[in-house]
Amino acid sequence: MLNYRSTIVAVAIMLVATSYGFYTFNISVWWGLIPFGFYFLMVGLGSYKIGMKFYIDSICDVPNSENKVAITFDDGPNIEFTPRVLNLLDEHNAKATFFCIGTTIEKHPEMLKEIDKRGHTVGNHSYSHDIKFDMSSVKDVKQDLQKTEALIETQIGKKTLLFRPPFGVTNPKIAKAVKQLKLQSIGWNIRTLDTTKDSEDKIFDRTTNIKAGDIVLLHDTSDKSVKVLARLLKLLGEKGLHSVTIDELTNIKGYA
Ligand SMILES: [Zn+2]
């Protein structure tokens, strides 16, 4: 699939071709809109579809993973729901990865320690999880991520190398900051949409075709998500699949 660089090359080729068409074959000027339309379509899709790996090479699944999958939780730690998630994971002897927000870590630092103590991996999900993050300069994105990095390190004594973009949105500035900080971006290939108004059944249905190597996106922020997790863990058992941390699934280092 095209990434940002190859899109720029494709648009340049299209512009040369249409210019040639104007002068040689006297084609309509409307043809000139095609390269611009294509550019904006690709940039729009690439920013919101993490699986396209448009700006950043996010890991979204790991094919050939025997019986392993990775369940991931965003937006915690949450004082009400994270403990329930941790207990369910323990009951099934499953491990997961928690991409935590800096401001929530400040509110519930003890919960972050508990996630680590139970053998799960902690990743960086930005400090504020604000829409402004996506419009920030490289310097501001770096500061935001480093602030969260420091909060995590203070609580668990380890420097995380894993990052999940807030809202799954990426752009050239976030890509540059992530590269400079030597973080690995982690996406997903099963988005449950568990923060929407969809019913528990509909959300669970999105996970039923799960197979080895898949990365599932859930949130440890609601009763509905906890219920979906309970059903998903049962399903994994029936399919002979086992949830592990992202570092174990991908075989990359979770911490520096
Ligand atoms: Zn999030």
Side-chain angles (χ1 to χ4, degrees):
M1 199 176 281
L2 289 179
N3 63 17
Y4 186 55
R5 274 190 192 165
S6 46
T7 296
I8 298 289
V9 173
V11 169
I13 292 169
M14 287 161 93
L15 282 171
V16 170
T18 44
S19 308
Y20 183 74
F22 293 145
Y23 293 109
T24 314
F25 302 109
N26 210 13
I27 60 170
S28 160
V29 287
W30 293 105
W31 283 93
L33 289 177
I34 291 175
F36 294 102
F38 176 73
Y39 174 80
F40 288 112
L41 176 75
M42 290 304 291
V43 164
L45 282 174
S47 301
Y48 288 95
K49 290 207 168 284
I50 200 162
M52 282 175 68
K53 306 180 185 191
F54 198 69
Y55 299 108
I56 306 179
D57 191 11
S58 301
I59 298 175
C60 297
D61 65 340
V62 185
N64 308 317
S65 300
E66 295 173 4
N67 62 342
K68 295 174 186 170
V69 299
I71 301 179
T72 64
F73 297 92
D74 284 10
D75 297 0
N78 180 291
I79 199 70
E80 195 180 348
F81 303 108
T82 307
R84 289 174 59 193
V85 164
L86 292 175
N87 289 343
L88 269 174
L89 292 169
D90 277 356
E91 275 171 34
H92 290 263
N93 199 19
K95 294 287 181 260
T97 304
F98 293 77
F99 290 95
C100 297
I101 300 172
T103 50
T104 59
I105 295 171
E106 283 175 338
K107 281 184 210 152
H108 310 297
E110 71 291 348
M111 198 47 70
L112 193 81
K113 280 189 185 131
E114 191 61 26
I115 291 170
D116 177 61
K117 213 172 96 187
R118 303 242 201 145
H120 307 291
T121 295
V122 174
N124 190 334
H125 194 41
S126 84
Y127 178 75
S128 57
H129 202 288
D130 197 291
I131 198 78
K132 282 187 213 143
F133 179 82
D134 302 322
M135 295 170 226
S136 302
S137 63
V138 176
K139 188 171 153 251
D140 288 348
V141 171
K142 276 176 78 178
Q143 271 176 2
D144 178 294
L145 295 178
Q146 283 171 317
K147 197 171 172 182
T148 316
E149 205 171 273
L151 276 167
I152 294 171
E153 197 169 356
T154 303
Q155 294 308 322
I156 68 169
K158 291 178 273 192
K159 186 178 175 295
T160 186
L161 294 173
L162 307 178
F163 165 66
R164 173 164 284 158
F167 315 106
V169 171
T170 54
N171 61 41
K173 286 171 188 166
I174 295 175
K176 201 167 180 185
V178 166
K179 199 174 173 189
Q180 286 179 8
L181 294 175
K182 297 188 170 60
L183 297 173
Q184 173 62 55
S185 175
I186 304 293
W188 56 79
N189 66 340
I190 298 183
R191 187 174 207 171
T192 61
L193 300 175
D194 58 331
T195 55
T196 64
K197 285 181 179 168
D198 286 353
S199 69
E200 183 196 316
D201 283 346
K202 201 168 177 184
I203 290 162
F204 174 67
D205 282 349
R206 296 192 176 108
T207 69
T208 50
N209 289 328
I210 191 164
K211 60 185 187 313
D214 286 349
I215 299 177
V216 185
L217 168 60
L218 278 167
H219 295 78
D220 48 337
T221 55
S222 78
D223 181 60
K224 193 164 64 178
S225 299
V226 176
K227 285 176 177 159
V228 169
L229 173 67
R231 292 170 70 178
L232 174 59
L233 287 167
K234 200 166 161 269
L235 175 73
L236 292 183
E238 288 161 9
K239 287 190 174 217
L241 296 170
H242 189 62
S243 180
V244 297
T245 59
I246 282 289
D247 30 328
E248 186 178 336
L249 183 78
T250 59
N251 235 338
I252 58 165
K253 278 169 76 180
Y255 300 105

